[in-house]
Amino acid sequence: MLDVKSSASDYIYSAINLHRLRAYDRNANFRGVPVNLPEPLEPQWPLTGFQQLRPEHKIMLPKLTTEQIEGYFLYRMAEDRQASGDIKALEKGKKMFESHRILACSFYQSGQNTFLSGIVGAAMRHKVTYNYKIKIDRCTGEPLNSHCECPAGKGPHGTCKHIAAVMMMLMHFIQTGDVQVEKCCTENLQTFHKPKAFYNGSPVKTQNIPSKRKHLDSILDDPRPAKFQNLKGYNDHVRNSLINFCSTSSMDISLRYIYPKADLQNAVHDHDYLERPFAEYWIDNALKVTENDCKAIEKCTRKQSKCNEWFRHRKWRLTASRFGEITRMTCRRNKNKLCKTLINSHKIVRKCLLHGKQFESKAICKFEAQKGVKCRPSGLFVRPDFPFLGASPDGIVDGDF
């Protein structure tokens, strides 16, 4: 009884499978009619006749719109079995166009077509460039073919970011007439001979300085006792003390930049009753020294050119190294220019000066051996009765001073 049932079930199962196989054969395994796509034809790109794109060529090119560019890219992506909504190439191409990565562009018109050719730089590696070719309809402006040397832009219908950047540049050129192509070094305005801009802003206040630490309101409170706060004339006292200290010591304290500079022209008119010009009184007061000041100046300037104090005390004085030039001055000499060279002295590098610095110590040693004397270093000598004069000997022999 069991054998009869098993044989019947096997027969039914075989009949069902046979019916299913016949249905598959009848419906060709439920596959559609195969579509044989023809191979894309390679367009004939011209090799000669191109001319560089210039503003006067604006009227010669057809109008190219954003819809045409997007339609060309979306259609080609769908044909290449990519997501039609993926427009990353257009987004990246727009950034490349804004970054001026298009290096060259030329065009050529033949029949009903307009051909574009040029060079575009890579997005990441700035030394890498790609050649591109674009073919558009001369009447409608529709992009027909495109090719780029990059891996994503090969073929007669390449849709890489480089092609997108060129098309956006072409659309911008047709609308405005501005060629957004990177300029060569000879096309840019030379700026090496122009001085750099200087910062003329006021100092930043303490509460405006960026800091990770949160400042409390009490940090800017006046730490002085209440009776010494808001005293009348205290700000003027601080200002005058600061300016006088900086003028006498030549120290550069940043606090003094808070106060505006003095108006010397108005000061001259305020003191027009003086016998001499106001500038002479100002210089005489700055150069005024006593006997103790002269000794202190000589002591602190014994290193001479290796010491900043030596340059500071020489600035407003006529020194021995320049006195011969002043005595030999004639009426044809430009006095203003001479005064500027005396005040605004700069470091001079000459062969004779370098030779003197190199062999000065040896010459002094030989002089001491021949004369049997001892020399010691000397600084800048100044006299109280002639404070505008100064001299720096190479050395002082014992007993002379």
Side-chain angles (χ1 to χ4, degrees), residues 113-281:
N113 300 320
T114 299
F115 298 90
L116 297 173
S117 177
I119 304 174
V120 60
M124 301 298 294
R125 294 176 291 181
H126 292 275
K127 294 184 179 180
V128 179
T129 58
Y130 301 107
N131 294 327
Y132 65 86
K133 300 175 184 178
I134 299 177
K135 177 183 177 182
I136 60 177
D137 190 272
R138 189 173 181 179
C139 299
T140 62
E142 289 285 345
L144 302 178
N145 299 100
S146 57
H147 171 75
C148 182
E149 288 183 341
C150 70
K154 292 183 178 180
H157 304 293
T159 53
C160 62
K161 56 187 177 183
H162 309 109
I163 298 296
V166 176
M167 288 188 178
M168 291 183 181
M169 183 276 297
L170 184 62
M171 180 182 65
H172 177 77
F173 169 73
I174 296 174
Q175 294 176 355
T176 62
D178 184 17
V179 183
Q180 293 288 339
V181 178
E182 184 180 9
K183 296 182 180 180
C184 61
C185 59
T186 56
E187 292 179 326
N188 295 323
L189 182 64
Q190 297 179 355
T191 58
F192 66 91
H193 59 283
K194 294 185 178 180
K196 296 182 179 179
F198 294 96
Y199 176 73
N200 296 324
S202 60
V204 181
K205 296 183 179 180
T206 306
Q207 59 267 28
N208 296 332
I209 297 177
S211 176
K212 295 181 180 179
R213 182 183 301 177
K214 294 183 179 180
H215 297 292
L216 301 177
D217 296 337
S218 59
I219 196 172
L220 299 177
D221 293 343
D222 194 344
R224 297 175 299 171
K227 62 179 181 179
F228 295 109
Q229 296 180 9
N230 300 325
L231 292 177
K232 186 178 181 180
Y234 182 76
N235 293 333
D236 295 334
H237 171 70
V238 173
R239 175 181 177 275
N240 296 334
S241 301
L242 179 65
I243 294 176
N244 293 333
F245 176 77
C246 293
S247 62
T248 55
S249 63
S250 296
M251 295 183 64
D252 191 10
I253 301 178
S254 58
L255 184 62
R256 71 185 182 93
Y257 292 103
I258 298 178
Y259 304 106
K261 296 181 180 180
D263 192 351
L264 296 180
Q265 295 181 355
N266 291 335
V268 171
H269 293 296
D270 292 341
H271 299 276
D272 56 355
Y273 53 85
L274 299 176
E275 297 179 358
R276 294 182 296 169
F278 177 74
E280 293 188 13
Y281 286 96

Side-chain angles (χ1 to χ4, degrees), residues 319-384:
T319 58
S321 58
R322 302 297 299 273
F323 203 77
E325 183 180 359
I326 298 173
T327 56
R328 294 192 299 268
M329 182 180 63
T330 62
C331 59
R332 294 178 296 178
R333 181 66 184 271
N334 191 338
K335 299 180 179 61
N336 294 330
K337 187 176 181 180
L338 177 61
C339 293
K340 289 182 180 180
T341 57
L342 293 174
I343 297 174
N344 301 323
S345 59
H346 58 279
K347 188 176 181 180
I348 302 175
V349 180
R350 293 180 181 176
K351 188 176 181 180
C352 56
L353 296 178
L354 297 176
H355 181 272
K357 290 182 179 180
Q358 184 178 2
F359 296 99
E360 182 179 359
S361 59
K362 297 181 180 180
I364 293 176
C365 293
K366 192 171 183 180
F367 173 78
E368 292 176 345
Q370 290 182 356
K371 301 297 182 180
V373 295
K374 191 67 176 178
C375 296
R376 64 178 179 86
S378 66
L380 179 66
F381 283 91
V382 182
R383 291 183 55 176

